[in-house]
Amino acid sequence: MRRKTSACVAVAGVVLGLLVLLAGCKSAPTQAGASGEPVTMAVEAVVDLRLEFVPDRAVTCKVTTETEASVRWEGDQSSKPESFRGGAIGNRVEITFEQRVLRVNDNDNAVIEVTILALTYLGRSRETVVLDFDSVRDPDRQGPLSELIGRSYEVEMTPKGAVVSVDGVAGIRDSIEGRSAEHQTALRLLDEKEIRERHEVPALMACEGRTVHPGDTWSNVRLFSFGRMGARAYERLYTLDRVEADGDARLAHVTMKGIPSSAAAQQLHQEQAEMVAAGLFDHVDTYEGHLRLDLDAGTIDTYVEQFR
């Protein structure tokens, strides 16, 4: 809620897990219906939203993560503290990698080899670019970030998109020595939490143990921390919007809308009381996303969550 009085407004923008399968990963060519568009299947269709793992099958994916936090003053300029400094900080990371299924265990979990093929990173602090890297540029083919290209690690993943374990990262981290910003960025991209967020599919994880019809909704809770600006919990409401017949493939379309959740209200009230005086910051945000899943191939076509 915006106040009429002068205020410091904090705006946070996060593109969470924009995952796109690149050319060659689609399961079947489109065969349009009479209208030239994919055909929506009957509402009664029951689907199991899950990944299918085929030994030695390889797919190439591109994951983009973009974050930005900005602070600006609104209202009477005469009441703005002299020490106040607005501006924005953030980064954009784009990683292209191959996922190859090494084996499928008896519990249907897959051990997947992930090989990094390309990487771009752009970091900004207010008006300054603090790090600009693109693995395809000749000048950038030296240095710690370039050391990630061609390197592989393994993840064990469930059919519902949860990463159970990460292996093979320690050796890569040990080869990256240094204290520069680029060294620290390379190490952060190899952090287990970062890897899990890169590969996990929350929309499927939240649907564990159930099948769904078009129109069904399920949910989970995510906590966002904004440092001195406090923290907020959001309930992510996922809905199976429709299932389309696209040629020989069935495509499930899932939408997501995040709403402020009271699940962690008491904890957040205590944390925010210690962080910042109430009313000092206003949050301006929306939280939405969508998933398109090929039900027959068991592969993700597109998955994106955006917090702004």
Side-chain angles (χ1 to χ4, degrees):
M1 181 179 71
R2 298 292 183 87
R3 308 180 194 281
K4 294 182 180 179
T5 56
S6 300
C8 172
V9 177
V11 181
V14 186
V15 177
L16 300 162
L18 171 55
L19 185 151
V20 178
L21 283 156
L22 302 182
C25 299
K26 303 289 181 67
S27 60
T30 299
Q31 298 177 5
S35 65
E37 298 293 333
V39 178
T40 301
M41 300 180 67
V43 174
E44 292 79 9
V46 179
V47 297
D48 186 5
L49 300 175
R50 55 178 284 152
L51 303 175
E52 296 293 339
F53 302 121
V54 179
D56 206 40
R57 181 171 71 178
V59 295
T60 301
C61 306
K62 180 184 290 184
V63 171
T64 302
T65 305
E66 186 170 2
T67 65
E68 180 179 285
S70 62
V71 178
R72 64 176 182 264
W73 186 267
E74 289 194 351
D76 186 358
Q77 293 295 307
S78 64
S79 61
K80 182 172 71 174
E82 293 184 3
S83 60
F84 176 81
R85 290 187 65 196
I89 60 173
N91 61 67
R92 176 185 173 88
V93 187
E94 186 176 277
I95 302 179
T96 303
F97 54 85
E98 179 189 83
Q99 289 191 166
R100 182 178 297 275
V101 177
L102 298 181
R103 64 182 182 274
V104 180
N105 298 331
D106 292 340
N107 60 1
D108 290 337
N109 291 355
V111 176
I112 300 172
E113 181 183 59
V114 179
T115 302
I116 299 174
L117 304 177
L119 169 66
T120 64
Y121 186 97
L122 181 64
R124 296 180 179 273
S125 179
R126 291 187 169 86
E127 304 301 322
T128 304
V129 174
V130 294
L131 181 57
D132 182 5
F133 174 86
D134 189 336
S135 60
V136 303
R137 293 195 301 236
D138 287 337
D140 291 345
R141 292 181 178 174
Q142 302 290 330
L145 284 173
S146 66
E147 290 293 323
L148 301 182
I149 308 304
R151 306 299 290 270
S152 301
Y153 55 87
E154 295 180 5
V155 296
E156 181 180 350
M157 180 174 285
T158 73
K160 286 297 188 179
V163 172
V164 177
S165 64
V166 178
D167 193 25
V169 176
I172 308 175
R173 292 178 59 89
D174 290 344
S175 68
I176 301 173
E177 299 179 354
R179 297 181 177 275
S180 70
E182 188 172 344
H183 282 91
Q184 297 308 306
T185 299
L187 292 173
R188 186 168 63 251
L189 294 176
L190 295 173
D191 181 79
E192 183 169 327
K193 182 175 182 293
E194 291 274 344
I195 291 174
R196 287 179 181 274
E197 292 186 349
R198 189 178 307 147
H199 296 285
E200 288 189 328
V201 190
L204 302 185
M205 295 164 61
C207 196
E208 183 70 46
R210 60 179 293 186
T211 55
V212 292
H213 297 77
D216 284 354
T217 298
W218 60 99
S219 68
N220 61 11
V221 174
R222 173 157 188 169
L223 181 67
F224 286 94
S225 175
F226 302 101
R228 289 187 64 251
M229 293 180 286
R232 279 191 173 185
Y234 286 83
E235 183 177 10
R236 296 184 285 199
L237 300 175
Y238 297 99
T239 302
L240 178 57
D241 182 62
R242 65 191 185 278
V243 177
E244 291 180 342
D246 190 359
D248 295 329
R250 294 175 304 143
L251 298 180
H253 294 259
V254 176
T255 61
M256 186 278 287
K257 184 171 183 61
I259 60 174
S261 170
S262 60
Q266 289 185 333
Q267 176 187 349
L268 294 182
H269 177 75
Q270 178 62 29
E271 290 177 354
Q272 292 181 347
E274 297 173 355
M275 291 178 186
V276 61
L280 178 58
F281 292 101
D282 261 346
H283 291 273
V284 183
D285 52 58
T286 59
Y287 190 13
E288 297 176 330
H290 67 271
L291 163 72
R292 188 163 69 175
L293 178 71
D294 186 325
L295 294 170
D296 298 299
T299 57
I300 295 172
D301 184 80
T302 305
Y303 182 55
V304 60
E305 291 191 5
Q306 294 179 314
F307 179 90
R308 293 178 176 172

